[in-house]
Amino acid sequence: MKQVLTLLPDTFLWLKASAGLLYNAKTFEKDGFNCTPSLKSLCSALLFVDNLYSVEIEPENFTADEAEFVDLVIRKKYGFITRHPAKAYSLPPVLSIQNDIKKLENSPSKSFGEDILKYLTTLTIYAGGRFSGPLYYRQTFYPFHSESCLEDLEILNFLGHIHSRYIKKVNIVFSHIESTNFLISLTEKLKATAPAVVYYCHVRELSDNVTSVLTQPDVTTILICEYEPASLKVLNDFLASDESRNSFEFNFLIRSQTEYNYWEHLVAQYKIQLYRYIPIYDNNYAFFKQFVFLNEEDITNTRLSKRIVFAHQAVNINFFGKLVLLPDGLIYSNVNKPPIGCMQDSPYDLIKNELHRNFAWRVIRDQEPCSGCVYQWLCPSPCQYELILGKNNLCTIK
Ligand code: SF4
C-alpha cells in the first residue's frame, strides 16, 4: 500500500558520496548512515525541492537498506509517515540570509547603504606602539608592534566617523603603553561616547598606574597572559599582591600541555573567576592535533539550532560583522588578508568592499575536504588557525 514519508522541517538531510547524515536541529539527534545506491534515489527524492521533503513509499517493496532507513527516520523522529495521498507537507530548511547577501551584492544603489550598515557590529582597534613579541595578533587579540601609534583623538575621530547604531562593541588592543595620560584620556572619553568597549592589555604592560586606570569599575579589561619569563614574573607579582585581580578578565595563551597545566594551577591558586584559554599555533602541530583539532566525537556531540546551521551555510560566524583597524590606518576584515580600505573610507564602502571581495565574512566550508564531508555545516566556521596552518579543515577526520 502506498504511503508518504515526510521529513520534519527541523530535520537536515545531507549526502556526500556514500555517506549520509540526518540531523534534527530541535532534538539535536544525529545519525550517520551508509547511502547505498538503493537509498540514494529515496534520499534524492526527499531532497528534491518540489517534493516538499516528502516521498511516496511502498514498504512491502522496500530493500533491506530502505526499510532500515525509514525505520531510523520514524524511530528517531526525523520524520513521519502518512497515508497516500499526503495531506501533510513539510518545507525543507531553506536559506534566506544568503539571498539577502546576494541582493545586497547586486544592488549598487546607495539607498541600500543604510541596510548594509547593520552588518557591521564590532570594531577592533590596535592602538600600536613598540612591543617585542611574536605575530600572535594574526590569531587572537595580542599587541601589534609598530613604530607609530594612534593618538586618543585619532581613535575618537575614527569612531565618530564610522559610527552607527548597529556597532555594539569596540575592542581596543594596546601595545606598549607609553603614557598613563593617554590611557586616562581615552578611557574617560570612550565612557561617554562609544558602545561597549573592551580593552586588551598584555600583562607585561602592567604597572600601578596602568592597573589603577584599567580596573575602574566601569572599564572592562582583558589581560593577555603569555607563558614567558618576563610576563610570568609580572603576573605572579600582580596576583600575589593586588586585590583588584578579579577586576580583570584573563586570556591565557596556550601552546603546550605544560602551559595549560600552569595556567590551570594559577586559576585555582588565585581563584580567578573570568578567564579563557586561547590556543596559539607556534610550530606546535602535535599539540594542536591532539587538543584543538575536532574529532568525530566532538562533532557528533554538537547541538546546533537550525539558525546556526543556516548561518554556517551562508556566513562565517567567527568573522561576520567585524572589522579591524591597524595603527597604520588600514582596515581589515581579516588581518591575514589584504586590507579592504582605510580609516577615512565610509563605513558603507568598507562593508561593500568586504562583501564584494569576501576575505572573511562569507568564508564558509565550501572548499575541499569540507565540501565533500557530511559534517560540512555542523562544523564551526573556518577560523584563523586554518589560515596560519595552510589547511582548509581543523579536524582529525579528513
Ligand atoms: S573540518 Fe571539514 S573535513 Fe573536518 S569534519 Fe568538519 S567539515 Fe569535515
Side-chain angles (χ1 to χ4, degrees), residues 136-289:
Y136 292 161
Y137 78 95
R138 296 176 66 202
Q139 302 181 46
T140 185
F141 298 107
Y142 187 85
F144 179 92
H145 169 81
S146 63
E147 293 302 324
S148 62
C149 46
L150 294 167
E151 302 290 332
D152 51 345
L153 270 182
E154 284 180 291
I155 294 175
L156 287 162
N157 286 342
F158 169 68
L159 288 174
H161 168 70
I162 203 163
H163 170 79
S164 92
R165 65 196 161 98
Y166 303 106
I167 296 176
K168 300 282 185 249
K169 190 172 180 192
V170 175
N171 302 307
I172 300 197
V173 187
F174 297 116
S175 296
H176 177 54
I177 300 174
E178 293 270 356
S179 114
T180 323
N181 289 344
F182 159 80
L183 208 55
I184 294 169
S185 161
L186 187 69
T187 51
E188 280 308 312
K189 285 173 184 148
L190 285 179
K191 273 183 208 167
T193 58
V197 181
V198 177
Y199 299 94
Y200 286 81
C201 172
H202 194 283
V203 67
R204 282 206 314 253
E205 295 303 311
L206 278 192
S207 63
D208 290 347
N209 289 342
V210 168
T211 303
S212 69
V213 179
L214 292 181
T215 54
Q216 295 171 80
D218 41 7
V219 170
T220 303
T221 305
I222 296 181
L223 213 52
I224 301 163
C225 301
E226 191 177 351
Y227 187 90
E228 51 90 35
S231 298
L232 293 182
K233 163 126 187 39
V234 179
L235 180 62
N236 277 290
D237 289 350
F238 167 72
L239 290 173
S241 68
D242 201 312
E243 284 310 312
S244 61
R245 56 181 165 257
N246 272 321
S247 307
F248 284 128
E249 297 179 23
F250 295 78
N251 274 5
F252 294 113
L253 309 190
I254 298 180
R255 292 162 296 195
S256 67
Q257 176 84 50
T258 309
E259 295 186 3
Y260 171 76
N261 294 343
Y262 183 86
W263 298 134
E264 203 182 36
H265 176 74
L266 214 64
V267 164
Q269 185 181 357
Y270 292 105
K271 300 186 173 52
I272 294 172
Q273 290 159 8
L274 295 170
Y275 61 92
R276 286 201 311 155
Y277 295 128
I278 314 273
I280 292 289
Y281 182 72
D282 197 342
N283 291 318
N284 47 350
Y285 190 83
F287 169 75
F288 256 62
K289 196 163 176 203

Side-chain angles (χ1 to χ4, degrees), residues 124 126 133-145 173 224 253 278-283 288 318-319 324 326 332-338 382-390:
T124 296
Y126 282 84
L135 302 179
Y136 292 161
Y137 78 95
R138 296 176 66 202
Q139 302 181 46
T140 185
F141 298 107
Y142 187 85
F144 179 92
H145 169 81
V173 187
I224 301 163
L253 309 190
I278 314 273
I280 292 289
Y281 182 72
D282 197 342
N283 291 318
F288 256 62
N318 297 319
F319 299 133
V324 177
L326 289 188
Y332 298 76
S333 52
N334 182 338
V335 291
N336 291 302
K337 295 284 178 70
C383 61
Q384 299 291 33
Y385 299 131
E386 284 154 276
L387 284 170
I388 302 282
L389 283 155

Side-chain angles (χ1 to χ4, degrees), residues 299 365 369-370 373 375-376 379 392-395 397-398:
I299 299 167
R365 295 208 174 275
C370 301
C373 175
Y375 298 126
Q376 181 178 19
C379 275
N392 286 335
N393 64 328
L394 207 64
C395 70
I397 295 166
K398 295 219 173 192

Side-chain angles (χ1 to χ4, degrees), residues 95-107 109 111-124 162-169 307 311 314-324 332-333 340 347-356 358 360-362:
L95 288 176
S96 63
I97 190 166
Q98 211 155 32
N99 294 338
D100 281 355
I101 291 173
K102 275 203 188 106
K103 192 167 77 182
L104 191 145
E105 275 184 320
N106 296 335
S107 170
S109 81
S111 65
F112 219 61
E114 182 60 24
D115 277 354
I116 67 169
L117 285 185
K118 69 172 185 259
Y119 288 106
L120 176 59
T121 56
T122 306
L123 293 169
T124 296
I162 203 163
H163 170 79
S164 92
R165 65 196 161 98
Y166 303 106
I167 296 176
K168 300 282 185 249
K169 190 172 180 192
R307 202 172 140 262
V315 297
N316 185 307
I317 58 179
N318 297 319
F319 299 133
F320 193 83
K322 298 175 183 170
L323 291 182
V324 177
Y332 298 76
S333 52
I340 54 157
Y348 172 79
D349 285 333
L350 293 168
I351 298 168
K352 200 166 57 101
N353 282 353
E354 167 51 23
L355 290 172
H356 176 62
N358 191 23
W361 288 13
R362 291 178 298 123

